[in-house]
Amino acid sequence: MHMRLSLSLTLLFTLVVLVAGRPMKQKSKKHAPPRSYKKTHGFVDPKQIINLGISLTPADRAGLEERTNAVSTPGNALYGKHLSTKEIKTFAAPKQDTVDAVNAWLQESGVNSTTTGGAFDDWLNFNITVEAANALLNATFEPFVHVDSGSTTLRTLAYSLPVDMSDHIRFVHPTTSFVKPLNFRPVMSTPLIPKRQLSGECTTQVTPACLQKLYGIPSTPASQNSSQLGVPGYIEQFAQVGSDLALFLQALRPDIDPNTLFGLETLDGGVNTQDPGLAGVEANLDIQYTVGLATGVPTVFISVGEDNQDGLGGFLDIATFLIGQEAPPTVLTTSYGFDEDALEPDAAVMLCDAYMQLSARGVSLLFASGDGGVAGSQPQECTQFLTTFPATCPYLTAVGATTGGVSPETAANFSTGGFSNVFPRPAYQNDAVSAYLDAIGTQNDGLFNASGRAIPDVSAQGQNLVIVAAGEGMLVDGTSASSPIFATGSGGRSPLGFLNPFLYGNPGMFFDVLSGHNPGCGTAGFPAVQGWDAVTGLGTPNFAAMLTAAGL
């Protein structure tokens, strides 16, 4: 009897505590940090101030998704009728009762000062001590070190939210996300090469002329002056305006004025330093193969600095920056990302929603798929296949890599491809991916999520690309070369917006890649086969066929 009474009192006491302090439900939990981080045992000052952000639930995400699909799908009555920022706000901004409810909870918990952020005031940011954050979220913030850089950050492996906040809060950040953005940095495959050693052989040195011949990229200036190519730069990658671009054009596109310039926009303290000693291989690659291939299409370099406040390396900041522009670039090619499991799923969905908003504005988004084969962003030890993000977001086009320089092309063995563990397979790729899974049968069973969003969508040359950096020529490899190459075919015409429904609906406008694979995790990876595959996607671009399919 005494034991039963004690148990009843314990349950009653627990219930009272939960009611008084709001019932809590676990929102996110990781059993361990990602492979690139390790837990340390350093002291954490409980009074240390950290900054947290709350992502607020949008008013009508489903409605925006439906509208984005409509304006992006050929044959739909709304196809091509992209939305304004004001129209997107009606879907993406939080409802006032959401803002009021979250602010009331924070104030009751002792958080009296917040600031709003995001394109539509859909973030609440606040400073809080570590001990208060632990109490607020039932969390344990502790130090973790990034193995490669040695930088230390405070994160928790789990946190909870009040049950009555579930309809108002998407997630709290940064909590269980471990983001260290990487560019899929091109590998310098040969020593610096002087101009006299340019062979003209596309099998060993891929140049703009090789790509024009291989893919049918026109050399005549674009006829559509309203289009613009955007090239983001992160982690202090600087694109050289004068010497490097001029030398590249003189040597490899002599029909273009070597004094051709590109625009510059900056955020988060970004700059574009012109010291030749600070020339960025990635930034130069991206600029040289957009300016040097999309003849006459205005190009803008968007430098994202290190003073970002989004906890996502500036990825959300640039999306917010562009969503609010009256005339954002019509095409944006990005050569940066990270392993998909570095980000908590709710954060990945939120950032993907920002890309959906940009797509609805009419921006065509292209991202390099990564350089680790089935091991993710870069080669690494693994027991399960990994993919990369943002490439797995279903509202952008992921670009893999091929090699060879001439037809027929072969899949580059570093081309990251596979299946998302966060995003389900979108309808536009159902037929293509189902056919591939049937073709490979039981190969790699149990190593990937067959129902996930599949990448890459397309591919382009990504090995032995000739660039100029710090006044010298060099050859580079990487899907970071492939994305800007493919992007040139989307510039120079009226905005197409989100490309994938158009691409998957017209598989005949690609050169199919039938050989190669992308090894990793102790396996041969996925094979390239007829039709879509998880190494090269639908294939490489036949620009003449693409123009015809687009009615141009």
Side-chain angles (χ1 to χ4, degrees):
M1 179 66 179
H2 177 72
M3 183 179 295
R4 181 178 299 174
L5 177 62
S6 297
L7 180 59
S8 299
L9 290 172
T10 300
L11 290 173
L12 179 61
F13 176 74
T14 301
L15 180 62
V16 170
V17 170
L18 287 173
V19 170
R22 295 178 182 248
M24 303 288 281
K25 181 179 180 181
Q26 191 170 81
K27 179 64 174 174
S28 179
K29 181 177 181 179
K30 286 182 180 290
H31 295 290
R35 290 157 299 283
S36 56
Y37 281 85
K38 289 186 177 180
K39 181 179 176 181
T40 68
H41 299 285
F43 170 75
V44 180
D45 183 353
K47 301 298 182 183
Q48 179 179 337
I49 301 294
I50 58 176
N51 180 266
L52 295 178
I54 293 177
S55 175
L56 301 175
T57 302
D60 189 6
R61 181 193 181 278
L64 180 58
E65 186 170 39
E66 181 180 355
R67 188 73 177 272
T68 303
N69 287 329
V71 303
S72 307
T73 303
N76 191 291
L78 294 177
Y79 180 58
K81 297 179 180 179
H82 300 115
L83 281 66
S84 66
T85 301
K86 184 177 180 180
E87 289 172 316
I88 291 176
K89 183 176 181 179
T90 63
F91 297 102
K95 295 179 180 179
Q96 188 59 48
D97 63 345
T98 286
V99 177
D100 293 343
V102 176
N103 272 317
W105 166 58
L106 290 174
Q107 290 168 8
E108 291 171 13
S109 304
V111 179
N112 297 311
S113 178
T114 62
T115 58
T116 57
F120 306 110
D121 292 336
D122 48 349
W123 277 86
L124 288 178
N125 301 300
F126 56 95
N127 291 326
I128 190 170
T129 64
V130 170
E131 64 179 352
N134 287 338
L136 181 72
L137 302 172
N138 279 356
T140 304
F141 281 90
E142 49 195 341
F144 295 85
V145 63
H146 184 253
V147 176
D148 291 339
S149 68
S151 61
T152 300
T153 188
L154 288 181
R155 292 293 185 268
T156 178
L157 292 179
Y159 76 97
S160 300
L161 289 172
V163 172
D164 60 352
M165 290 292 106
S166 60
D167 291 337
H168 302 299
I169 295 177
R170 303 182 84 177
F171 66 100
V172 182
H173 184 80
T175 48
T176 57
S177 290
F178 292 77
V179 177
K180 185 70 176 179
L182 302 170
N183 69 303
F184 303 132
R185 188 181 301 276
V187 177
M188 286 178 278
S189 56
T190 68
L192 300 180
I193 54 174
K195 181 178 177 180
R196 64 179 179 273
Q197 290 184 12
L198 290 172
S199 67
E201 293 292 332
C202 295
T203 55
T204 57
Q205 296 180 3
V206 178
T207 65
C210 298
L211 298 168
Q212 288 170 335
K213 180 179 180 180
L214 182 62
Y215 300 142
I217 302 173
S219 61
T220 53
S223 58
Q224 184 62 249
N225 292 327
S226 63
S227 62
Q228 184 186 57
L229 278 166
V231 178
Y234 298 84
I235 57 176
E236 298 184 335
Q237 280 280 314
F238 308 130
Q240 301 299 297
V241 177
S243 59
D244 287 349
L245 179 58
L247 287 172
F248 178 85
L249 295 175
Q250 287 172 354
L252 301 174
R253 281 301 307 270
D255 56 321
I256 297 180
D257 182 355
N259 296 313
T260 298
L261 302 177
F262 53 89
L264 175 66
E265 295 180 356
T266 63
L267 66 148
D268 291 347
V271 296
N272 192 34
T273 303
Q274 293 302 295
D275 183 341
L278 297 177
V281 172
E282 178 59 63
N284 275 355
L285 164 63
D286 291 348
I287 284 294
Q288 288 167 19
Y289 277 86
T290 46
V291 174
L293 277 178
T295 310
V297 178
T299 299
V300 59
F301 182 67
I302 307 170
S303 179
V304 183
E306 299 291 288
D307 298 333
N308 51 78
Q309 300 300 313
D310 58 8
L312 296 168
F315 278 63
L316 179 61
D317 287 352
I318 189 174
T320 300
F321 176 74
L322 294 175
I323 289 167
Q325 289 187 344
E326 183 176 344
T330 51
V331 181
L332 192 77
T333 173
T334 302
S335 299
Y336 304 76
F338 30 85
D339 290 335
E340 187 183 60
D341 66 356
L343 209 58
E344 66 171 297
D346 286 327
V349 171
M350 178 277 303
L351 184 52
C352 184
D353 282 358
Y355 296 137
M356 176 170 63
Q357 294 168 24
L358 274 175
S359 295
R361 291 290 322 274
V363 180
S364 299
L365 300 170
L366 297 102
F367 276 74
S369 72
D371 297 342
V374 294
S377 58
Q378 302 288 342
Q380 58 188 309
E381 293 184 6
C382 47
T383 56
Q384 292 284 312
F385 289 178
L386 303 171
T387 51
T388 58
F389 182 81
T392 52
C393 170
Y395 284 97
L396 54 81
T397 302
V399 186
T402 57
T403 186
V406 297
S407 182
E409 300 173 75
T410 299
N413 62 8
F414 54 77
S415 180
T416 296
F419 299 79
S420 173
N421 288 315
V422 174
F423 301 98
R425 185 194 308 162
Y428 61 74
Q429 62 172 191
N430 259 339
D431 291 345
V433 175
S434 294
Y436 181 67
L437 292 173
D438 288 343
I440 66 171
T442 59
Q443 185 174 345
N444 299 321
D445 266 6
L447 296 178
F448 65 95
N449 172 29
S451 63
R453 189 285 205 248
I455 63 168
D457 299 300
V458 295
S459 55
Q461 284 287 304
Q463 193 161 31
N464 293 329
L465 275 292
V466 180
I467 71 162
V468 176
E472 301 287 348
M474 64 178 66
L475 300 184
V476 297
D477 304 343
T479 56
S480 57
S482 310
S483 186
I485 291 170
F486 196 95
T488 62
S490 303
R493 57 179 63 93
S494 299
L496 293 175
F498 177 44
L499 296 173
N500 288 7
F502 169 64
L503 301 180
Y504 281 87
N506 294 276
M509 60 189 187
F510 295 93
F511 297 115
D512 203 356
V513 181
L514 303 176
S515 62
H517 59 277
N518 54 355
C521 304
T523 75
F526 291 110
V529 301
Q530 184 174 358
W532 184 91
D533 58 65
V535 197
T536 64
L538 294 165
T540 58
N542 179 336
F543 283 121
M546 294 179 91
L547 289 172
T548 299
L552 301 172

